[in-house]
Amino acid sequence: MKHLPHILGLAALAATSSVSAAALPDPQALLQQYLSGDYNDGDAPLKAAMGYFQHHDQQLREVLLNQSPELVDILESASYCYAAIATKPGPDLLPELFHYQDGRCLLVQDEVTEQGHYYSDSQCRIDIDYKTETDIDFCVREFDHKAEKYGSTADLNSTSDAWMPGYSATLPVTTRPQSFSEIPLLQRSTYKRVHNEQGMCHLEMRVYKNMDNHSATPVMLIHGGGWLARLKTARLMEAQIAQLTEAGFVVYMPFYRLAQDQEAGPACNNVSIEDSKNDIRDAYLWVLFNNYKYTHSFKSIRLLGQSAGGHMAVWLSQQFPFLINKIAPMFPVADFAHQLKELQDGSYPHSYIKNMLAILSGKSDWQELSGNEPLIVNNSLLEYIEQYPGIAPDMFISHGMADIIVSPSQSLRLCNALSGDISDGPAQANTLNFNQQYAQIQCRSGSELHLLENAGHHFDGCGLGLCDVGGEQGSVATKALMENMVNWLK
């Protein structure tokens, strides 16, 4: 294993580049402790990480033997497992449960360890199926390094699972510090099954809510990842959820099939972008028809989408123009044609979007694209908005000006399209006025563009350490933007 130190070095870099080394354990040390077998007396986070390794023992030893770069992903996932358990909120933040005993409705005093039938109120009128899971089970499900379990309900014996603590919504990986008075509950459901020659794809819908909030405002989150991946981007988005439930939302988070074969499993990947969009359309319809089970609110279902998810939030609003009236696209890639144009003229030379367009189009190189392909034409959404701005929903658009994944011009032009003039609308790059790294532009009545001067892509999350959003001033600006967005969505 002469290359093991090099591979482990990459693993350490992968972990500490997004997460503070003070919060995450050294992945090399974690692996060496597992291989030594000396971990039986460890604390809960260590036991969870060791259990994660044990669950993947055969695969782990194969990648070590073959010196596979896949080791980086396994070690990073084990490190996140450790950090998640080390920072897990205490049981005092779990909601109270009640049960009948001797003809009386009594508070459940002991920790719930088995799935059972309980009540959420002291009169035992509102029943709830509730369960917990072990730290190891949580880690294996949530930090699956190939995202075959994460986003899949193949493990469920029924359409919907029991409610359980939603610890993934509380991970301290957000730019805006976590602050909540109650751990939201999570229910996992299957919103769609798709069968193909590779098997059955079970697509998961996650529902998060504070247990006793029966009039919560509904919002559906759409994760990013360039239609190619889900694990890291969805994880960062999911970590925002405790802040949303604390602010009075019930949160729906669907997963969708992917265009590349690296994540989600063979039955749920290698599809077209149109298949992914149809999944999100079906997810919205599921929320529309099931929303009454989770809230009595009459407010419309809001959409919050990031990157590729921001694109699909805009697209979905065009499919249901009179049902969706509030969306928050974050760093969206809403206009493939203009993004391709910027690549062609060199004004946006960054490599990620080149790779994404090549993969989604089935080309070996993005330079083979002319702009007339269905992929480009069907995913250039702004001209329709410019032509019919009156039926477009209100939008809270946000972007970091240092984004090297999606061009900031995507959000400026989206704002201008809402005004009815893509070219000469209110958002012009040469007239932006930043105040302490934060600029706000009124696109039209009810719609706003929020820009961060020095922030990159996914400024909402950064791991357990410092965020790369432009120093302390940039961090303050980012926190303000996130808070403004949450308040606007209400």
Side-chain angles (χ1 to χ4, degrees):
M1 299 185 191
K2 63 179 181 179
H3 298 298
L4 180 58
H6 172 66
I7 294 175
L8 289 173
L10 290 175
L13 178 62
T16 57
S17 63
S18 61
V19 180
S20 168
L24 274 180
D26 180 355
Q28 300 181 43
L30 273 184
L31 177 62
Q32 297 298 350
Q33 189 153 8
Y34 175 71
L35 294 176
S36 74
D38 182 22
Y39 52 81
N40 292 326
D41 296 328
D43 57 11
L46 182 63
K47 288 180 178 177
M50 296 300 104
Y52 182 89
F53 280 142
Q54 190 170 24
H55 181 85
H56 296 94
D57 183 79
Q58 182 177 351
Q59 189 174 12
L60 176 62
R61 295 182 186 278
E62 287 177 357
V63 299
L64 284 170
L65 181 64
N66 298 325
Q67 303 163 15
S68 169
E70 191 176 327
L71 180 64
V72 173
D73 298 325
I74 296 176
L75 295 193
E76 186 180 57
S77 295
S79 297
Y80 265 104
C81 167
Y82 183 102
I85 303 306
T87 60
K88 187 168 73 171
D92 56 310
L93 293 181
L94 289 170
E96 292 183 335
L97 294 171
F98 298 85
H99 65 155
Y100 265 121
Q101 183 175 329
D102 300 327
R104 295 183 297 167
C105 186
L106 302 175
L107 179 68
V108 176
Q109 299 287 352
D110 299 326
E111 181 182 358
V112 174
T113 58
E114 295 182 0
Q115 182 171 338
H117 189 75
Y118 300 91
Y119 297 90
S120 64
D121 64 305
S122 58
Q123 286 77 44
C124 289
R125 294 175 180 171
I126 305 174
D127 59 345
I128 178 174
D129 283 326
Y130 181 85
K131 72 174 188 178
T132 59
E133 57 185 347
T134 68
D135 291 342
I136 294 174
D137 287 342
F138 168 77
C139 284
V140 167
R141 180 174 58 81
E142 287 298 285
F143 302 110
D144 168 27
H145 67 283
K146 289 187 175 181
E148 293 185 0
K149 294 182 175 66
Y150 185 59
S152 170
T153 52
D155 60 305
L156 298 185
N157 295 321
S158 58
T159 302
S160 295
D161 199 6
W163 291 95
M164 60 183 173
Y167 292 118
S168 291
T170 69
L171 291 176
V173 296
T174 55
T175 312
R176 183 186 178 200
Q178 293 283 25
S179 178
F180 49 88
S181 58
E182 179 180 334
I183 299 168
L185 295 186
L186 161 67
Q187 185 181 65
R188 301 170 59 226
S189 296
T190 304
Y191 79 86
K192 183 176 182 178
R193 293 184 179 92
V194 184
H195 186 268
N196 57 42
E197 60 184 16
Q198 299 296 330
M200 182 72 75
C201 178
H202 303 258
L203 290 171
E204 180 178 357
M205 175 72 71
R206 296 190 170 190
V207 184
Y208 282 94
K209 63 172 292 185
N210 284 357
M211 187 169 68
D212 290 329
N213 188 349
H214 304 298
S215 58
T217 300
V219 60
M220 187 173 99
L221 274 54
I222 311 174
H223 71 78
W227 293 275
L228 308 176
R230 67 165 59 142
L231 187 58
K232 295 180 182 179
T233 54
R235 178 187 296 155
L236 283 178
M237 188 173 216
E238 195 167 11
Q240 311 292 333
I241 290 178
Q243 299 180 21
L244 288 166
T245 54
E246 185 73 11
F249 291 89
V250 53
V251 181
Y252 302 95
M253 184 173 170
F255 295 81
Y256 52 91
R257 288 173 291 167
L258 303 176
Q260 206 173 24
D261 63 358
Q262 302 301 306
E263 294 185 2
C268 298
N269 61 31
N270 269 333
V271 301
S272 72
I273 183 176
E274 298 304 319
D275 290 327
S276 301
K277 288 160 60 179
N278 284 332
D279 290 343
I280 286 301
R281 182 181 184 275
D282 291 339
Y284 174 76
L285 290 173
W286 187 97
V287 174
L288 193 65
F289 295 133
N290 288 276
N291 187 49
Y292 74 95
K293 300 176 183 177
Y294 302 101
T295 179
H296 299 152
S297 172
F298 291 106
K299 291 183 178 179
S300 66
I301 299 161
R302 283 79 163 106
L303 303 180
L304 195 167
Q306 296 184 334
S307 197
H311 171 104
M312 289 191 282
V314 176
W315 173 81
L316 197 59
S317 73
Q318 295 178 349
Q319 310 306 303
F320 302 97
F322 302 107
L323 291 176
I324 298 171
N325 54 35
K326 262 196 171 188
I327 71 173
M330 301 177 69
F331 32 93
V333 53
D335 188 349
F336 278 30
H338 192 264
Q339 185 70 88
L340 177 61
K341 178 179 178 295
E342 287 189 319
L343 295 179
Q344 291 170 333
D345 65 22
S347 58
Y348 191 79
H350 303 294
S351 60
Y352 179 88
I353 202 73
K354 297 176 181 178
N355 182 59
M356 186 194 85
L357 290 177
I359 293 173
L360 294 179
S361 64
K363 306 287 187 181
S364 59
D365 192 300
W366 70 272
Q367 295 184 81
E368 297 176 23
L369 292 166
S370 67
N372 297 319
E373 295 81 4
L375 171 76
I376 304 300
V377 174
N378 295 338
N379 292 289
S380 300
L381 310 177
L382 300 195
E383 288 186 4
Y384 183 85
I385 297 173
E386 181 184 45
Q387 188 173 359
Y388 305 105
I391 63 174
D394 289 340
M395 299 190 194
F396 185 108
I397 311 163
S398 57
H399 217 122
M401 296 302 291
D403 194 335
I404 61 171
I405 303 296
V406 174
S407 172
S409 69
Q410 293 280 304
S411 288
L412 273 68
R413 288 168 55 81
L414 176 56
C415 175
N416 290 338
L418 288 168
S419 77
D421 191 337
I422 293 177
S423 298
D424 297 320
Q428 299 297 321
N430 58 356
T431 61
L432 295 176
N433 181 25
F434 288 93
N435 180 14
Q436 297 183 325
Q437 300 189 31
Y438 191 4
Q440 302 179 43
I441 298 169
Q442 195 76 22
C443 307
R444 69 170 193 203
S445 177
S447 293
E448 308 166 6
L449 171 63
H450 294 247
L451 301 172
L452 297 170
E453 187 173 15
N454 295 310
H457 202 66
H458 258 302
F459 53 75
D460 58 315
C462 54
L464 304 178
L466 296 176
C467 310
D468 184 18
V469 291
E472 183 59 33
Q473 189 177 80
S475 181
V476 171
T478 303
K479 294 170 187 175
L481 185 155
M482 296 299 295
E483 184 173 354
N484 290 338
M485 183 183 67
V486 170
N487 290 330
W488 182 89
L489 280 166
K490 295 178 181 180

